[in-house]
Amino acid sequence: MESAGARRASGGSRNPDVVCEKHLFKGKLPEPLFQLACSHHLCAFPVNLNELCVWNTATAQPLYLLGHHYSISAVSFGSKIDPLLVCSASHERVIVWNLDECTQKVQEGFTPRGIVIGTLLGMVLHVRFSPDDQQVAVCAGNQIYMLSAKNEAILAELDAHLAPVTAAEFCTWEKNMLISVSEDRTFKVWDYSTSQLIYQSGIITAFPLLSLLIDEESKQIITGCAEGQLWIFSLISDRNYRCIAHIDLKKEQEKFCNKKWKSGKEIGDGQNNSKLCKTDNKTRPEGSVETSFPILLIEHCDFFVCFHNEENTYSSLNTSYFWIGTSTGLLIINLANFELEAFLSYRDYSDLSIRIARSCALTRKAADQKALCLITSMFEDMIAVLEVNLAALVRTQHSDFVPCGNEKSLSVFARCTLLANSPLCKGLKKNMKEPSSKIPGVKGTMKDKPLVFHNKIKSSGYTAAPQMTMFSPNTNLKKKEVSKWKISCKCKNKEYPLESYPPIKYEKEISLTCKPTPIFCIQYSGDGELLACGLADKTVLIFNSNLTDVHNVFSGHDGAVNSVGWSHDKKWLVSASEDRTLRVWSVCNKEPALILGKENFHKNVRFAQFYFIDTFILLCCGAEFHLLSFHLDTTKDDLKRYKQRSVCKLVQKFPMTSTMEITSLSAVNEFYSYIVLTAGSNRALEVFDLNAGCSTAVIPEAHVRSVHQICQNKGSSFSTQQPEAYNLFMTTAAGDGIKLWDLRTLRCERRFEGHSSRCHPCGIAVSPCGRFIASGSDDKYAYIYEMRSSTFLHKLGRHTESVINVSFSPSSPQLTTATLDGKLQLFLP
């Protein structure tokens, strides 16, 4: 077989170090050749049809092994390094070779020989060693043969597939478990010790399944088909192998290209790119044609070796990455958010000899930030050994990668003083200039002069303040109760325990109204003592935290209440309604302290909340949000009791870019922060810096549908221990699951598996400890997720309708859920 030396794939590219063709072998290749093998610095592949070549990339020395009479169709390395085994399979026999013994035999001048472990099994498409290298799974035709790796013995025959088995993998944490995929478009789970079929899936796709990977860390399987589709299934025992995600690699590649195209950056800067054209929202090289996209290989990727010296994101430390080998190139997929991190197209490197691959193999571990890749040509008898510089590949396509802690990165914390022309500064000045109007008839702080000249003579009583209690509105709270409640709030402002179990134990359920009434919003007060609920029947109810008593009822809106928000001092509650009004209520009074009527807003008012530690009010109106300064005064003039003494002024309006309506808004009120997060009907997220008074970042196409909630951790548990957790926020969209974002890098760090929330927008909440996420659903369940896992931990039932809102208590580990039929449920650890 002819061989050629190393060639660096420059070809006019600005960065020739991304990929290098280390060696090229030319000669007759078997047909079909389905499986190649790479391990550390070794590559194994057939030459001259029936001869096995093990090529050492470190020494550039080949080791040729003879033992087959027919064409070799599958090759695989063992799981262990000492001794390192390699298995080769052909139509007539399966052979296991000990590479250390073979090398020694060659040095001594003898012909190396392997152990024949199987004969006449049929056309073998895939072989795989068990984790302990004691067994070998051989996929031949529709069957899987479990063979001993030490002698010729068939330990088990697994027969249930209806078409050729294309791949099989051992489950490392479950003893005797094997998973296989086939051209019959299904996967099956086996107990190979008893030859028992544990589980068989339905038909997943219209195309044959070609590749398979088991991720031990996330306990998931990833399988790919002949048309560029990936499916990810959970292997957790009680999940019934449910599908977690489906990834269309063609769409992901187009989305990746569009993102870079919009940012003004060429794809693969450092590659020899063709000019990019954009048609029908797709970016592709000019002159390209639509081709099939078979997934030839799925392999683990040692991604973090690229950034081991850099501070990385908070949530990415447990993230898995994997390579996807296709006929046209290599892709890197993030298993946490199911997004494309980088891709390498063979055609973009003019010095590569192979442009379309028939089969592919990759090393699991990167050495010196470089991965070894072995590919065969689709149309010619060539095998190329490529060296891919993983760090260079990622950096050329992620020059906008901003390590956390960079001064230019965004942060939810206010890291500088207020600017002189800041809208926040203007609003503060307005509040400072707000006059404290004198209340007629109320005794002031200065001592009144007696009506008689001698101060020892008892006054006739004309100097006393007039009796005002007869005109005060009737409330259910007595003065003593109010004072006791205020004291208890101060005493019970506990901090959420960082180490706590998720609240999954059903405690109680209450119905808020006599007939089913949707609960559109719920929110705990900052001390966790009270829970506010906004209902479709135009009222706002306040309960104590254990749902045993109604603390207050606020009525006055003429439409459904769509949002409620507590003040930092827990004395005020702001509500917004579909009647295009905003009201601020005192917790101890049934009358609103402030009303902003329809004349102030041209569209419905939503997502009202206090901001900047109760200095401002934020609200959404159409495609813009308003920053309002206010001054609350609950006192009344005897003659003009109808007149509102509270004052509210518009500071500035902030329009969101290219959207018809803002669908969600979030900002922190518990400490000083300049950041406001918005989501629009255009499926984008936009970050505003209110100190600068402008938009600072836009994340286009954050979800496949419009985001209906943005959720931030607004608790106090991280204030001294893990402040970086405040820079994480979550978004959710109907039918598209939950995504976790990092404000500092503006990247999606994790995507949580979706459920059946397709009809109604269902809320999400994060626990103050930052470990758990709760989500509502249309299937009458609430789901609990762990922050570092893409699949749910617990499923909370007993609901009679869709769970449309969830809320964690900020002071204790308890969760309240709200349903479409007007019921609250309380869950404890």
Side-chain angles (χ1 to χ4, degrees):
M1 172 175 266
E2 298 179 5
S3 63
R7 290 193 296 172
R8 190 166 297 278
S10 55
S13 62
R14 289 180 286 276
N15 187 351
D17 298 322
V18 173
V19 61
C20 172
E21 188 175 286
K22 297 288 289 184
H23 218 81
L24 180 69
F25 297 89
K26 295 182 179 180
K28 188 64 177 175
L29 295 180
E31 182 64 41
L33 174 57
F34 201 84
Q35 185 186 15
L36 305 173
C38 285
S39 178
H40 300 88
H41 56 278
L42 299 176
C43 299
F45 50 89
V47 296
N48 302 322
L49 300 179
N50 62 350
E51 189 174 357
L52 178 64
C53 175
V54 180
W55 195 69
N56 191 321
T57 59
T59 62
Q61 293 297 321
L63 172 65
Y64 294 102
L65 304 174
L66 290 169
H68 291 276
H69 299 295
Y70 291 87
S71 300
I72 298 173
S73 58
V75 184
S76 178
F77 281 105
S79 304
K80 295 183 177 181
I81 301 177
D82 188 18
L84 182 59
L85 306 178
V86 63
C87 178
S88 57
S90 64
H91 181 77
E92 95 290 355
R93 62 177 58 178
V94 180
I95 303 176
V96 172
W97 311 82
N98 186 320
L99 292 184
D100 293 335
E101 294 180 358
C102 292
T103 302
Q104 186 177 356
K105 289 285 186 183
V106 170
Q107 292 173 350
E108 293 173 355
F110 297 102
T111 301
R113 299 198 177 276
I115 302 173
V116 178
I117 62 172
T119 55
L120 300 176
L121 299 180
M123 179 56 66
V124 178
L125 297 182
H126 189 90
V127 293
R128 182 65 68 199
F129 279 94
S130 63
D132 57 3
D133 284 350
Q134 296 300 307
Q135 297 96 23
V136 178
V138 179
C139 303
N142 298 1
Q143 291 183 306
I144 304 169
Y145 296 92
M146 296 300 303
L147 306 180
S148 170
K150 296 182 178 179
N151 50 53
E152 187 173 357
I154 298 178
L155 306 178
E157 293 185 29
L158 310 179
D159 185 8
H161 282 290
L162 303 177
V165 183
T166 53
E169 294 286 342
F170 288 88
C171 184
T172 55
W173 67 91
E174 290 285 350
K175 188 177 180 181
N176 301 327
M177 180 182 283
L178 181 79
I179 301 174
S180 61
V181 295
S182 165
E183 291 182 6
D184 64 9
R185 301 162 291 167
T186 68
F187 76 87
K188 292 178 171 39
V189 183
W190 309 84
D191 183 342
Y192 59 84
S193 64
T194 62
S195 301
Q196 180 183 359
L197 178 63
I198 300 174
Y199 174 83
Q200 59 180 352
S201 72
I203 294 178
I204 299 173
T205 172
F207 301 91
L209 297 178
L210 301 181
S211 50
L212 176 68
L213 176 72
I214 298 180
D215 184 62
E216 182 178 359
E217 185 177 345
S218 62
K219 291 183 169 52
Q220 296 171 353
I221 61 171
I222 304 103
T223 181
C225 75
E227 191 59 21
Q229 309 285 321
L230 280 177
W231 283 267
I232 302 175
F233 296 88
S234 174
L235 283 181
I236 299 175
S237 57
D238 60 345
R239 299 299 157 79
N240 298 320
Y241 305 96
R242 62 177 287 159
C243 180
I244 293 176
H246 167 230
I247 306 173
D248 188 330
L249 290 182
K250 286 185 178 180
K251 291 183 179 179
E252 285 298 319
Q253 189 167 338
E254 288 166 2
K255 186 169 73 172
F256 187 84
C257 293
N258 283 333
K259 187 186 299 183
K260 295 301 178 183
W261 183 86
K262 289 178 181 178
S263 64
K265 179 179 176 59
E266 289 187 358
I267 306 302
D269 185 15
Q271 302 180 18
N272 182 26
N273 286 302
S274 306
K275 292 182 180 179
L276 296 175
C277 62
K278 189 167 185 289
T279 59
D280 299 328
N281 296 323
K282 297 180 181 180
T283 307
R284 57 180 177 81
E286 283 185 354
S288 65
V289 295
E290 189 73 16
T291 59
S292 61
F293 208 69
I295 298 176
L296 307 175
L297 172 82
I298 309 173
E299 184 58 271
H300 287 92
C301 176
D302 202 4
F303 185 83
F304 283 109
V305 74
C306 303
F307 308 108
H308 65 280
N309 291 326
E310 299 181 9
E311 183 184 358
N312 218 302
T313 57
Y314 167 78
S315 61
S316 291
L317 298 178
N318 268 4
T319 300
S320 298
Y321 294 81
F322 53 93
W323 287 102
I324 301 293
T326 71
S327 58
T328 58
L330 303 174
L331 301 91
I332 300 176
I333 297 290
N334 187 329
L335 192 55
N337 57 23
F338 312 132
E339 292 185 356
L340 182 64
E341 293 289 340
F343 75 89
L344 183 153
S345 177
Y346 301 139
R347 62 172 290 167
D348 286 338
Y349 295 88
S350 59
D351 281 1
L352 294 184
S353 302
I354 298 176
R355 302 299 177 88
I356 300 180
R358 179 175 20 148
S359 53
C360 173
L362 276 156
T363 51
R364 177 172 295 206
K365 292 288 185 181
D368 298 327
Q369 300 185 351
K370 296 177 181 179
L372 206 60
C373 177
L374 185 65
I375 58 175
T376 61
S377 175
M378 177 72 77
F379 306 112
E380 301 177 74
D381 289 329
M382 293 191 299
I383 298 178
V385 181
L386 309 180
E387 188 179 68
V388 181
N389 190 322
L390 183 57
L393 174 64
V394 173
R395 289 181 190 280
T396 53
Q397 299 184 4
H398 286 273
S399 61
D400 53 347
F401 177 81
V402 183
C404 300
N406 192 302
E407 292 181 358
K408 294 182 179 180
S409 64
L410 295 170
S411 175
V412 74
F413 298 103
R415 297 189 296 191
C416 62
T417 58
L418 282 173
L419 303 175
N421 58 346
S422 169
L424 301 178
C425 196
K426 297 175 184 177
L428 287 171
K429 288 178 181 178
K430 286 184 179 181
N431 274 349
M432 292 171 62
K433 292 179 181 180
E434 190 63 50
S436 56
S437 55
K438 190 174 179 180
I439 305 170
V442 178
K443 187 175 180 179
T445 56
M446 296 182 62
K447 187 177 180 182
D448 291 339
K449 298 295 182 181
L451 294 181
V452 294
F453 294 102
H454 201 285
N455 56 11
K456 287 186 179 181
I457 300 176
K458 186 177 179 180
S459 171
S460 57
Y462 289 103
T463 60
Q467 188 77 12
M468 299 292 290
T469 55
M470 65 181 71
F471 300 105
S472 62
N474 185 24
T475 63
N476 292 332
L477 293 175
K478 298 178 181 179
K479 290 185 177 180
K480 290 183 179 179
E481 292 176 349
V482 173
S483 61
K484 286 181 182 179
W485 176 79
K486 288 182 178 179
I487 293 172
S488 68
C489 284
K490 294 179 181 178
C491 297
K492 295 181 182 179
N493 195 3
K494 301 178 292 184
E495 194 170 271
Y496 194 98
L498 288 176
E499 297 297 330
S500 62
Y501 293 101
I504 59 174
K505 178 187 173 184
Y506 172 82
E507 185 68 16
K508 66 184 307 183
E509 177 184 275
I510 63 170
S511 295
L512 302 194
T513 56
C514 298
K515 59 181 181 179
T517 304
I519 305 172
F520 286 142
C521 50
I522 58 174
Q523 190 179 89
Y524 276 98
S525 59
D527 56 6
E529 294 296 312
L530 297 176
L531 177 71
C533 307
L535 279 69
D537 65 0
K538 312 173 188 178
T539 61
V540 177
L541 304 183
I542 298 182
F543 292 85
N544 57 4
S545 59
N546 56 9
L547 304 183
T548 58
D549 189 27
V550 179
H551 186 274
N552 215 333
V553 179
F554 298 134
S555 59
H557 282 294
D558 291 329
V561 179
N562 56 47
S563 65
V564 291
W566 287 95
S567 64
H568 181 70
D569 59 11
K570 298 94 180 175
K571 295 180 180 179
W572 309 96
L573 187 72
V574 60
S575 63
S577 168
E578 298 297 321
D579 62 1
R580 285 171 36 203
T581 66
L582 176 134
R583 295 174 183 244
V584 178
W585 313 83
S586 170
V587 176
C588 305
N589 198 329
K590 287 196 172 183
E591 291 188 4
L594 173 66
I595 301 176
L596 289 183
K598 300 179 181 179
E599 64 278 1
N600 297 286
F601 310 107
H602 65 284
K603 288 190 177 181
N604 287 346
V605 181
R606 295 181 179 177
F607 311 109
Q609 68 162 85
F610 291 98
Y611 173 62
F612 217 63
I613 312 188
D614 300 344
T615 309
F616 303 96
I617 292 176
L618 290 173
L619 59 87
C620 292
C621 182
E624 59 191 14
F625 71 89
H626 297 187
L627 178 67
L628 307 173
S629 64
F630 64 95
H631 171 76
L632 299 177
D633 188 348
T634 57
T635 59
K636 298 289 184 179
D637 188 335
D638 290 343
L639 300 179
K640 298 181 179 179
R641 292 182 58 81
Y642 62 89
K643 188 174 182 180
Q644 178 178 279
R645 303 187 67 87
S646 299
V647 180
C648 187
K649 296 181 179 179
L650 175 66
V651 178
Q652 189 170 328
K653 296 180 181 180
F654 296 88
M656 190 174 172
T657 307
S658 303
T659 189
M660 297 294 293
E661 183 181 12
I662 294 179
T663 57
S664 185
L665 176 142
S666 181
V668 175
N669 184 48
E670 281 66 23
F671 53 85
Y672 290 115
S673 173
Y674 304 143
I675 298 298
V676 175
L677 306 173
T678 61
S681 56
N682 60 348
R683 299 177 294 160
L685 293 173
E686 192 160 357
V687 183
F688 288 84
D689 183 349
L690 296 201
N691 188 26
C694 63
S695 169
T696 58
V698 177
I699 305 174
E701 299 179 3
H703 284 266
V704 296
R705 299 186 184 182
S706 299
V707 174
H708 65 251
Q709 186 176 348
I710 302 173
C711 178
Q712 292 178 274
N713 188 345
K714 301 179 181 180
S716 58
S717 298
F718 282 101
S719 56
T720 57
Q721 301 191 37
Q722 290 180 316
E724 67 273 10
Y726 278 112
N727 286 309
L728 302 176
F729 66 95
M730 279 152 293
T731 59
T732 182
D736 194 35
I738 304 167
K739 290 187 178 182
L740 176 69
W741 304 83
D742 193 326
L743 182 64
R744 298 163 295 178
T745 60
L746 297 176
R747 286 165 50 87
C748 176
E749 298 298 335
R750 186 170 294 278
R751 181 174 173 179
F752 301 89
E753 65 170 292
H755 36 73
S756 55
S757 297
R758 298 185 180 275
C759 301
H760 301 283
C762 297
I764 55 175
V766 58
S767 64
C769 68
R771 292 178 55 203
F772 306 112
I773 300 168
S775 170
S777 174
D778 277 351
D779 59 6
K780 303 178 184 179
Y781 286 94
Y783 292 84
I784 301 291
Y785 298 86
E786 206 274 329
M787 185 68 81
R788 292 174 182 258
S789 174
S790 296
T791 185
F792 66 88
L793 287 178
H794 301 282
K795 195 175 179 181
L796 310 181
R798 294 202 178 189
H799 301 97
T800 55
E801 253 294 354
S802 299
V803 182
I804 56 176
N805 273 293
V806 290
S807 182
F808 282 101
S809 169
S811 60
S812 60
Q814 70 179 45
L815 173 72
T816 299
T817 62
T819 59
L820 200 61
D821 59 354
K823 294 179 181 178
L824 293 178
Q825 283 193 4
L826 181 64
F827 294 88
L828 299 178

